Amino acid sequence: MRKKLLLGNWKMNKTPSEAKEFALGCPKMVEYAISKGIEVGVAPTFVCLQTVKENAPKGLIVAAQNCNEHPSGAYTGEISIAMLKEIGIDTVILGHSERREYNGETTEKCNEKMKALLAEGMVPVYCCGESLETFEAGKTKPWVEEQIRGGFAGIEAKDAAKIVVAYEPIWAIGTGKSATKEIAEDTIGFIRSILRELYGEVAEDIRILYGGSVKPGNIAEYMSEPDIDGALVGGASLALDSYQGLIEGLVG
Ligand code: PEP
């Protein structure tokens, strides 16, 4: 049985004091989510990770938004997996469309990072998704298939089960134009069929989230679909009341 997961992607928002305020305000809702069998987390910026980790309840997953694939060395401006591990971080978002667009993050690079994270017992949250142009051209599936096959290349079944996939159509991110639950389920079901081809039954254990303008008012719709295991949420994950609304919608 796949556990539902709500992960807030804070992007480049919140100073450490603002992040701390969220962490101090969330214990009750985190406790409620856990009591309902749901995993919840947030992905603050690097400078806020430690303060959130120290001030939030233990049950809240605190994820990084990126990491470097090398163990250490001359990579100015980068953050290693060991650095994250040492402050208690075990989950890292990879290949978000904003990083693919503005930071040249390729599927090959995500694959290297994914392998490095898995070798350290960490959980990668691997993002994929198509542009509006690709969607309108009816080429979503081949596009996403390439991202999935490339991202999972060379990863064994025992490790693949630990990976979380997030399907985020780029045209739905931060636009207010969320994909319908039918579109989301169609693509996510397709992603699971590729994973089934690659890993057989293990594909049933891999969680696949939907992301793209998810809000308290629409999250429940997605959760009614059989292949959608939760949500990766940007804007609506920033405020405590909205985050609580997401949890309530997810619980149903
Ligand atoms: C995201 O950043 O992953 C995202 C889905 O953003 P939003 O929820 O704001 O569309």
Side-chain angles (χ1 to χ4, degrees):
M1 196 36 190
R2 301 186 297 266
K3 255 194 170 178
K4 296 240 183 291
L5 170 64
L6 168 68
L7 185 60
N9 173 19
W10 286 354
K11 314 191 187 199
M12 199 174 73
N13 292 296
K14 290 195 193 289
T15 62
S17 60
E18 290 165 345
K20 183 176 176 181
E21 199 181 319
F22 184 102
L24 291 173
C26 73
K28 273 208 174 111
M29 58 185 91
V30 171
E31 201 183 305
Y32 172 69
I34 292 169
S35 75
K36 296 289 179 185
I38 288 167
E39 287 185 6
V40 286
V42 292
T45 58
F46 287 125
V47 293
C48 294
L49 286 172
Q50 199 153 6
T51 188
V52 176
K53 195 74 200 159
E54 284 169 1
N55 292 286
K58 275 205 167 45
L60 184 78
I61 296 166
V62 183
Q65 297 176 18
N66 182 34
C67 68
N68 190 277
E69 67 278 20
H70 300 287
S72 62
Y75 302 100
T76 304
E78 292 291 292
I79 302 285
S80 75
I81 292 169
M83 293 168 192
L84 295 173
K85 261 188 114 168
E86 193 168 309
I87 60 163
I89 305 301
D90 63 6
T91 304
V92 180
I93 297 174
L94 295 176
H96 190 281
S97 62
E98 287 150 17
R99 291 207 57 85
R100 288 181 190 261
E101 183 177 355
Y102 307 129
N103 302 88
E105 182 107 324
T106 60
T107 292
E108 292 68 31
K109 190 57 83 186
C110 292
N111 177 247
E112 285 174 43
K113 293 182 182 189
M114 205 115 87
K115 287 174 176 161
L117 283 167
L118 290 165
E120 291 299 322
M122 309 263 285
V123 178
V125 179
Y126 176 57
C127 303
C128 62
E130 80 289 1
S131 66
L132 184 60
E133 198 184 358
T134 303
F135 173 71
E136 286 180 342
K139 294 184 176 153
T140 296
K141 288 181 180 171
W143 179 271
V144 168
E145 179 168 2
E146 203 174 307
Q147 290 182 323
I148 293 294
R149 287 189 188 277
F152 279 77
I155 293 176
E156 291 176 27
K158 69 171 172 44
D159 285 332
K162 295 179 196 140
I163 298 169
V164 176
V165 175
Y167 167 59
E168 300 204 305
I170 300 168
W171 47 270
I173 298 178
T175 58
K177 282 193 229 155
S178 49
T180 61
K181 62 178 181 152
E182 290 81 10
I183 290 175
E185 171 64 19
D186 186 42
T187 310
I188 289 175
F190 172 71
I191 291 171
R192 198 174 306 284
S193 73
I194 298 167
L195 295 172
R196 226 173 256 135
E197 201 187 294
L198 293 172
Y199 299 112
E201 278 181 10
V202 169
E204 310 311 323
D205 297 331
I206 301 176
R207 288 183 291 179
I208 311 178
L209 314 180
Y210 166 72
S213 296
V214 173
K215 297 183 179 53
N218 65 10
I219 191 167
E221 289 172 32
Y222 298 105
M223 292 315 114
S224 64
E225 296 296 327
D227 283 299
I228 304 181
D229 303 313
L232 180 57
V233 185
S237 72
L238 289 167
L240 278 164
D241 56 350
S242 170
Y243 195 81
Q244 179 163 355
L246 290 167
I247 292 174
E248 282 162 7
L250 196 53
V251 168

